[in-house]
Amino acid sequence: MSRVGNLDPDNDYGHWIASNLRFLRLTWGMTTAQVGEIIGVTASQVSNLEAARSQLQIEQAESLDLRWKTDGHLTRMVRQRDRPHDPDWWNQYVVYERQAERIESYNALVVPGLLQTEPYMRALFEVSVVVTDIDAAVRDRLARQESLRKKDPLELRFLIKESALLDPIGGKEVMREQLAYLLEVSRWPNVVLRVVSRDIGAHVGVDGSFQLLHGGKRVAAYIEAVGGGRLVVTPSKVAGYRRRYDTLMGEAQPRRVSEGLIRDAMEG
């Protein structure tokens, strides 16, 4: 449970809003009860808002901006928090990935970027509606893969939907090379790689691919989307993706069965 003293406003958007709320209340010399009267909640609920145990809503932010004459400051912060997509979130994601100590990834459509061979990623970039400079994109992705070869490499947990192993991205030879690389990586001591079989039918991963990035006390979720993605840092929302990942891990095949499914895909 978050407390005011444990907030991390530099790295969590919800904590940033909570810190601003407390700062403005104290600047105006108000009690939590007085703020509660402005936005129609109790003093304890205001305390929860300031500790990021609950989230400030847009109507509440508008009321406080009007009372404190802050020219829409809190309202803009809440709108930014609630935006479904921000083109800068990818740049933020790369920072989280670089600082991560453990990454847990579920991939529904393609092999995860950190495990892609160069021919495989080129084939994907060639049909991308977002990538304009394929060579630059390849260089960037290969540079990110260097984290796998550090002296103290990342802990990596990959769940891959079986269907992602069957599409011949780049042609049969490119895909066969890619699958062989997955088998190699699956034996690395810092890597857990499991296949989510098609036989399980409907499951909690049908909404799409996502990742959990653990770094120190911070955990973020990254959700992939067409043309972009979203970085989620609000603890309550990250916890939902944590539960989803744990459920998928329970439904994934054991290591030897997963390796057998990869071999079957290679032969196919």
Side-chain angles (χ1 to χ4, degrees):
M1 184 176 293
S2 299
R3 296 181 179 178
V4 170
N6 294 331
L7 294 181
D8 186 12
D10 290 335
N11 297 298
D12 189 306
Y13 214 98
H15 289 192
W16 186 29
I17 294 174
S19 298
N20 271 260
L21 176 60
R22 176 175 169 79
F23 172 78
L24 288 167
R25 177 178 67 81
L26 295 176
T27 298
W28 279 85
M30 288 185 173
T31 65
T32 54
Q34 288 173 320
V35 172
E37 290 179 4
I38 297 173
I39 60 176
V41 300
T42 65
S44 62
Q45 288 174 308
V46 173
S47 296
N48 286 336
L49 290 171
E50 292 185 356
R53 289 189 289 267
S54 57
Q55 290 191 339
L56 189 69
Q57 301 304 305
I58 192 73
E59 298 83 2
Q60 297 171 332
E62 290 171 346
S63 297
L64 291 171
D65 280 331
L66 183 63
R67 175 62 178 81
W68 288 336
K69 299 179 176 62
T70 42
D71 193 28
H73 174 68
L74 286 172
T75 303
R76 284 191 294 273
M77 294 181 74
V78 171
R79 284 201 186 108
Q80 180 69 14
R81 179 198 68 197
D82 294 340
R83 286 179 65 182
H85 172 65
D86 184 331
D88 191 50
W89 275 338
W90 172 251
N91 294 327
Q92 298 175 40
Y93 164 82
V94 173
V95 173
Y96 272 82
E97 182 183 83
R98 191 179 303 124
Q99 297 174 350
E101 299 166 358
R102 183 170 81 253
I103 295 177
E104 296 168 311
S105 172
Y106 168 67
N107 292 78
L109 298 176
V110 297
V111 171
L114 288 176
L115 300 186
Q116 291 175 5
T117 63
E118 182 174 341
Y120 183 94
M121 69 179 70
R122 279 189 179 276
L124 290 175
F125 289 144
E126 285 172 358
V127 297
S128 171
V129 297
V130 178
V131 175
T132 56
D133 187 335
I134 294 175
D135 289 337
V138 168
R139 286 194 299 271
D140 289 345
R141 182 159 293 180
L142 290 174
R144 286 170 50 215
Q145 291 182 357
E146 289 301 314
S147 62
L148 307 181
R149 300 170 180 83
K150 296 188 301 185
K151 182 178 180 181
D152 297 314
L154 290 170
E155 291 183 37
L156 297 166
R157 307 289 183 265
F158 295 105
L159 300 178
I160 305 176
K161 190 73 169 65
E162 184 181 5
S163 54
L165 307 176
L166 302 176
D167 291 339
I169 303 296
K172 293 182 179 180
E173 291 303 320
V174 168
M175 195 63 196
R176 189 175 292 112
E177 178 188 354
Q178 175 64 74
L179 293 169
Y181 183 62
L182 288 182
L183 283 176
E184 176 188 338
V185 171
S186 71
R187 301 185 185 103
W188 293 359
N190 61 310
V191 173
V192 172
L193 193 156
R194 300 288 184 268
V195 176
V196 180
S197 171
R198 293 181 298 171
D199 295 339
I200 68 172
H203 56 88
V204 296
V206 295
D207 288 337
S209 305
F210 64 94
Q211 295 184 19
L212 293 167
L213 301 103
H214 303 257
K217 297 181 179 180
R218 297 189 302 167
V219 183
Y222 182 75
I223 299 90
E224 296 183 9
V226 177
R230 181 175 183 180
L231 187 69
V232 176
V233 295
T234 303
S236 60
K237 294 182 179 179
V238 172
Y241 286 98
R242 169 78 273 164
R243 291 190 293 271
R244 188 180 302 184
Y245 190 87
D246 289 343
T247 299
L248 284 166
M249 178 62 83
E251 294 179 335
Q253 297 296 329
R255 179 174 66 87
R256 293 191 182 280
V257 177
S258 295
E259 290 178 352
L261 289 171
I262 295 173
R263 290 193 186 92
D264 290 345
M266 288 178 65
E267 294 172 2

